Amino acid sequence: MRGRRPFSSAVRQLLRAGVHVPHPASVHIGAEVVLARIAPGVTLHPGCRILGEKTSIGPGSELGREQPLTIENVQLGAGVKLHGGFVSNATFLDKASMGSGAHVRPGTLLEEEASGAHSVGLKHTILLPFVTLGSLINFCDCLMAGGTGRRNHGEVGSSYIHFNYTPHQDKATPSLLGDVPRGVMLDQAPIFLGGQGGLVGPCRIGYGNVVPAGSICRKDVLDENKIVYCDPPGMGSARIPYDPRVYKDLTRVVINNLIYIGNLRALQQWYRHVRGPLLPNDPFAQACHEGACRRLSEAVRERILRLRQLAEKVPESIDLLTGKEDESMARAIDSQRFFQESWPHLEVALVVEPEDSLGAQDRDHFLAALPATLSASPSWPETVAAIPIEVREHGTTWLQAIVDSVSRLWHPPRALG
């Protein structure tokens, strides 16, 4: 018909396979995309660009409803909704969603029904099921768990920032909200971070905590079920000498990084021993599982890289601090020197996955009980909900053993720890 724009043979094949493309001429499919990995029933709205040989789009997913969308090497489960923006090397499990203006970069994993509203920036971000992000958020380098369902979910309010880049120009700043050993059981109280606030990494926040809107949290809050009023820096309008080449005591920074890596290792084991064997016979679910495992490996490598870069900056800091008499400076030197000296051995240990024997007795008890307790649930959250409490406790103990094995790789002197 005169005036109708032509569309590609790839789009034509998708239409024949049952993919909904309301305006075929406005959709671009990269030559490297495997068309069989786009399920019948997927909807591609105008302005979609589908790229990457590892891209997989599960049934019922809807892309680009609100504005143009580019995805590249992305794995989507069933019923995922990405409304617009740019998403690269990320994995979204069933019914996860992201509003328009998304900017989602590598290392990002959103589990079932996790979501973000419009204009959300993520990179190396892991959200366990139901965690919800508001609008206008930058939440890179975080792992967040907590919540039991859509009506009882972890929440990050609009205009929230995770501060993940320091004046020292390093990113050894991952923040852990909740944890993996208990978080994967989907039975913990949600964490609430009020809007127009911020979290200065690396921080750890316990379950059930509420940080009021407008607060900047700079410290670990390991208590649970508290409302946390964050103290201001306390400097007023004071001006004090500052050299960005100089670090303070690094003990907390290193320990928080190791605990974070330990949680990533625990989540890897969860996918390997629990989620993998229980996968449905579905190529789209399999692609998401492989994508999730890839994201976790990327996350571990990223954290080791950032610690290495921190270690490379330490010698200059020690030189600049040496000779100063202040007691706190002496402690800072000691912590930095200990980290510098122990880093080569620590890096080797971090690269190696934890021994499979860690927590094996509890793991085997947990796994053995699964077939007798699980029903044919249509979703992963419902599958987990069917696991009795006493069985979950064995799973948590197993995963915590993995976390502890990593966090104990570095033993600062008693005076520092």
Side-chain angles (χ1 to χ4, degrees):
M1 182 181 295
R2 175 178 289 182
R4 176 177 292 180
R5 293 175 59 194
F7 51 91
S8 69
S9 61
V11 172
R12 195 181 304 276
Q13 290 181 59
L14 291 177
L15 287 167
R16 289 172 179 167
V19 176
H20 303 302
V21 189
H23 297 275
S26 69
V27 171
H28 171 76
I29 308 294
E32 74 285 359
V33 174
V34 179
L35 300 183
R37 294 179 181 169
I38 303 177
V42 166
T43 299
L44 304 178
H45 288 285
C48 283
R49 298 175 67 230
I50 313 300
L51 309 172
E53 61 183 359
K54 291 184 172 64
T55 288
S56 172
I57 307 175
S61 292
E62 183 178 15
L63 278 62
R65 181 180 179 181
E66 297 177 357
Q67 65 174 200
L69 171 72
T70 297
I71 65 170
E72 175 184 40
N73 288 320
V74 169
Q75 299 78 45
L76 308 180
V80 172
K81 297 185 184 300
L82 303 180
H83 291 298
F86 175 77
V87 183
S88 176
N89 291 281
T91 302
F92 292 73
L93 305 188
D94 293 356
K95 296 183 180 179
S97 65
M98 192 65 63
S100 59
H103 193 246
V104 180
R105 292 177 287 167
T108 297
L109 168 62
L110 269 65
E111 293 194 338
E112 286 82 0
E113 300 187 56
S115 66
H118 73 269
S119 302
V120 172
L122 306 177
K123 182 181 179 184
H124 288 287
T125 305
I126 299 171
L127 305 181
L128 269 58
F130 312 122
V131 172
T132 300
L133 309 180
S135 304
L136 305 170
I137 285 174
N138 190 314
F139 208 62
C140 301
D141 295 314
C142 292
L143 188 156
M144 184 168 178
T148 59
R150 289 305 312 151
R151 294 186 178 182
N152 185 42
H153 61 266
E155 173 83 15
V156 180
S158 294
S159 301
Y160 202 88
I161 298 177
H162 177 242
F163 297 102
N164 66 331
Y165 188 69
T166 76
H168 307 290
Q169 301 187 31
D170 73 75
K171 283 190 175 182
T173 53
S175 287
L176 182 66
L177 298 99
D179 60 21
V180 167
R182 290 183 292 164
V184 295
M185 302 303 172
L186 306 183
D187 59 3
Q188 297 299 306
I191 296 167
F192 184 91
L193 303 180
Q196 205 156 2
L199 183 66
V200 180
C203 269
R204 290 185 286 154
I205 305 293
Y207 287 114
N209 286 326
V210 173
V211 181
S215 302
I216 305 296
C217 186
R218 293 175 167 83
K219 297 179 180 180
D220 299 334
V221 184
L222 303 183
D223 291 341
E224 299 187 355
N225 302 304
K226 301 288 192 299
I227 186 165
V228 182
Y229 293 100
C230 302
D231 295 328
M235 294 298 178
S237 61
R239 293 172 175 81
I240 58 176
Y242 179 75
D243 187 337
R245 298 171 298 172
V246 173
Y247 285 88
K248 297 181 179 179
D249 185 350
L250 290 178
T251 304
R252 173 180 167 274
V253 170
V254 177
I255 289 175
N256 277 7
N257 271 267
L258 296 184
I259 291 172
Y260 192 94
I261 294 171
N263 277 268
L264 293 175
R265 290 299 194 189
L267 196 53
Q268 285 181 313
Q269 292 297 309
W270 177 254
Y271 270 85
R272 179 175 303 164
H273 291 285
V274 182
R275 297 207 62 158
L278 293 174
L279 276 175
N281 186 22
D282 174 352
F284 301 102
Q286 183 65 46
C288 280
H289 182 265
E290 293 172 358
C293 293
R294 198 177 301 121
R295 302 291 84 84
L296 293 173
S297 295
E298 291 167 354
V300 171
R301 289 196 297 270
E302 172 75 3
R303 301 277 57 93
I304 295 173
L305 169 65
R306 297 305 184 179
L307 276 176
R308 182 189 311 130
Q309 292 173 340
L310 175 62
E312 290 169 353
K313 290 175 173 287
V314 164
E316 182 180 22
S317 176
I318 293 173
D319 288 344
L320 291 169
L321 285 173
T322 299
K324 297 189 176 181
E325 302 299 329
D326 183 89
E327 182 178 342
S328 66
M329 292 301 179
R331 180 185 174 90
I333 292 172
D334 289 343
S335 74
Q336 293 173 38
R337 184 171 289 122
F338 182 76
F339 175 53
Q340 178 192 10
E341 292 172 351
S342 58
W343 172 247
H345 301 290
L346 179 58
E347 181 175 19
V348 171
L350 289 173
V351 170
V352 178
E353 291 193 22
E355 293 288 340
D356 209 42
S357 59
L358 285 166
Q361 184 174 352
D362 282 291
R363 179 196 65 209
D364 294 344
H365 190 111
F366 177 77
L367 296 176
L370 289 183
T373 61
L374 296 184
S375 60
S377 301
S379 72
W380 181 253
E382 290 177 353
T383 296
V384 175
I387 303 174
I389 293 176
E390 62 274 14
V391 176
R392 294 182 208 174
E393 290 174 351
H394 285 285
T396 294
T397 302
W398 156 49
L399 296 173
Q400 189 61 50
I402 297 168
V403 175
D404 292 343
S405 72
V406 178
S407 64
R408 291 170 181 165
L409 287 172
W410 193 67
H411 302 279
R414 187 176 301 274
L416 298 178

